[in-house]
Amino acid sequence: MNFKDLPNKTLIEDKDIDWDDLGAGVKRKVMPFDEHLMLVKVSFQKGAIGTIHNHPHLQLSYVAKGSFEVTMGDDKKILNEGDIFFAPTRVYHGVVCLEAGLLIDIFNPHREDFL
């Protein structure tokens, strides 16, 4: 399934959406979205890095699998399966994967740059 088809779908099976290989041990899968809300799965191999960045979107991330050192502004903390982090608008944040893992990211509004 192409991501351009997603806004028209309300019931989506994971197997129908391909991973986008971002390189350096990171893959992304854009799930359902509209102009207000987007869910993205991000898979990390051990040692992979989610580079420090910021954006105008609100972001809520759920650690579905693995372990991550998360940087949020000036704070760092190790988060494990079941933990979450919230990235407010324009706050610099990033991750280092300590144990192969999966983040479930929710953005408001949707990330046009992912499309």
Side-chain angles (χ1 to χ4, degrees), residues 14-35:
D14 182 75
K15 68 178 177 60
D16 291 337
I17 302 172
D18 295 328
W19 288 97
D20 182 19
D21 189 344
L22 304 178
V26 181
K27 297 187 299 185
R28 175 171 60 210
K29 186 182 282 203
V30 175
M31 302 302 284
F33 67 92
D34 67 11
E35 65 274 8

Side-chain angles (χ1 to χ4, degrees), residues 14 19 39-44 60-68 70 79-85 95 97 99-106:
D14 182 75
W19 288 97
L39 188 141
V40 178
K41 294 181 179 185
V42 189
S43 174
F44 291 83
L60 184 64
S61 294
Y62 173 74
V63 180
K65 182 176 152 185
S67 179
F68 295 85
V70 180
L79 297 180
N80 300 293
E81 186 173 326
D83 296 336
I84 64 167
F85 63 89
V95 300
C97 185
E99 177 186 321
L102 178 71
L103 294 179
I104 307 297
D105 296 338
I106 300 170

Side-chain angles (χ1 to χ4, degrees), residues 3-4 6-7 30-35 37-39 110 115:
F3 69 83
K4 292 178 182 175
L6 289 174
V30 175
M31 302 302 284
F33 67 92
D34 67 11
E35 65 274 8
L37 195 62
M38 174 184 271
L39 188 141
H110 77 272
L115 306 178

